Amino acid sequence: MAPYESDDNATAADAEELRSARRRKAARYVVPATVVGIAAATIGLVPALADSGDPDLPKISAQELIEKIAASDVQQLSGTVKITTDLGLPDLGGLESSLGSAAGPSGSGDGSSADPSTKLTELASGTHTLRVAADGENRQKVSLLENAAEYSLIHNGKDVWGYDSKSNSVFHTTASESDGKQKEELPATPKDLAEEALKAADKTTSVTVDGTAQVAGRDAYRLVIKPKDEGSTVGQITVAVDSKTGLPLKFTLTPASGGSAVVDAGFTQVSFAKPAASTFDFTPPKGAKVEEGDAAKAPEHSEHPGDFGKGSAPELGKEGPEGLNVIGDGWDSIATFETGGQGVPSGSEVGGDVGGFLDSLGDKVSGKFGEGTVFKTRLINALITDDGKVYVGAVTKDALVKAADAAK
């Protein structure tokens, strides 16, 4: 992106891009990366949709429905999707003037606007509309529709393209067929979310079938997953499972604290017909700036289109900072690691709007471990101690403090 020269020379689109870039930079500067990163990875790139009607379907047990999900083998699909996310993060708009310099001269932050990693945090709040398409293991496409613009992530064979129409920027990398541990930046379907939730379905979890629903005109069973432990911030997860294909069509996560869903995701329209081959074609537009990226940012080479983005919400502790350890199991798991530095400064130390934002997001706590700050959302909480140790998980503030005390 060209440097931002002056307000006089900037178009309205340039100004809006600058504001958006500063918000992204503000989030990276103020909010601990652990909270935003894990929360965003948990969200998934999928849609929200209210149910309509309760179809009359044959009875099925929870175990049978779980087996139906596991056996789902959808190879082709396309549809329009939405995601509504409410993590309870405060608005960053008022911080623009305070953090403008942090965004840099271009206001673009680090990397190309077409890089998938720059799009991930945008899904951490609000409502987003997408189009998805898949044709087997080698062809997938996810397009994020924005105001008068579109961002697309396309996997076609060995090529992975990211294209941001607003800035006419292109990100290109290759998908390695030999490396099954690649990380990608955009999770794709409710199936990914459902499978991650079901990993915690042990003796600490209640799993039941609670009636039926209609999602995107498809008859579905409603699978309800509830933690039994009181320390989790998760109230319950509801997964609408297609009665014919076994594909999860909708994923809703409500917090233990009550209120609206943290994540409400499901197809608004879906077809299991084979998409046209041209759907996955991409040639950089004339004049577009093309950035070549690392293959580690490519979508994982997967066997099913429903797995596009698999690994984007990694099992806690399997991927993360060096030295990361996990305390506990299932819903009460807490990841810990050392930052190698000091804790987070208080709002009074920082001062101004930034200091006020820090105070609104974090709570000062103390215990046997000493002192620290708990950064909170409606789902993921993180304790950063003053000596630089981090405790993070989908657990309450008290659970984090207890874990830090026990580590002493």
Side-chain angles (χ1 to χ4, degrees), residues 27-28 31-44 87 89 117 120-124 184-185 187 311-314 316 319-321 337 377 379-380 382 392:
R28 289 194 296 271
V31 185
T34 304
V35 177
V36 174
I38 294 180
T42 304
I43 289 166
L87 286 170
L89 294 171
S117 64
L120 184 59
T121 55
E122 294 182 15
L123 303 175
E184 59 298 310
E185 307 297 341
S312 56
L316 196 59
E319 298 177 15
F337 59 92
T377 73
L379 179 63
I380 303 294
V392 60

Side-chain angles (χ1 to χ4, degrees), residues 35 231 233 316 327 332-336 365-367 369 373-377 379-385 389-407:
V35 177
T233 56
L316 196 59
I327 301 171
D332 290 339
S333 296
I334 297 173
T336 71
V365 294
S366 61
F369 64 87
T373 303
V374 172
F375 287 87
K376 54 190 184 294
T377 73
L379 179 63
I380 303 294
N381 294 321
L383 165 61
I384 303 178
T385 64
K389 191 164 186 178
V390 176
Y391 299 80
V392 60
V395 297
T396 63
K397 176 175 70 175
D398 290 343
L400 293 174
V401 171
K402 183 178 180 180
D405 281 344

Side-chain angles (χ1 to χ4, degrees), residues 22-176:
R22 284 178 173 173
R23 290 191 186 99
R24 292 194 295 270
K25 192 70 175 182
R28 289 194 296 271
Y29 176 74
V30 176
V31 185
T34 304
V35 177
V36 174
I38 294 180
T42 304
I43 289 166
L45 191 61
V46 285
L49 177 69
D51 299 328
S52 58
D54 296 321
D56 185 15
L57 296 172
K59 289 187 177 180
I60 189 172
S61 69
Q63 182 60 38
E64 289 171 333
L65 191 52
I66 291 172
E67 291 173 356
K68 194 175 186 69
I69 295 172
S72 179
D73 190 29
V74 174
Q75 291 293 315
Q76 290 91 24
L77 65 82
S78 60
T80 302
V81 298
K82 287 184 180 179
I83 176 170
T84 297
T85 308
D86 180 12
L87 286 170
L89 294 171
D91 184 10
L92 298 179
L95 296 178
E96 288 185 19
S97 58
S98 300
L99 296 176
S101 59
S106 69
S108 61
D110 301 324
S112 165
S113 63
D115 187 329
S117 64
T118 68
K119 289 294 176 181
L120 184 59
T121 55
E122 294 182 15
L123 303 175
S125 64
T127 298
H128 303 272
T129 301
L130 306 98
R131 294 194 185 101
V132 299
D135 182 12
E137 62 181 21
N138 291 318
R139 292 179 175 178
Q140 300 102 17
K141 181 177 181 179
V142 178
S143 296
L144 173 61
L145 308 183
E146 302 171 314
N147 293 332
E150 179 176 318
Y151 174 82
S152 292
L153 179 63
I154 304 159
H155 173 207
N156 192 351
K158 292 184 178 181
D159 289 309
V160 177
W161 299 94
Y163 175 60
D164 182 17
S165 68
K166 182 182 292 185
S167 61
N168 198 29
S169 298
V170 175
F171 177 87
H172 175 253
T173 187
T174 56
S176 169

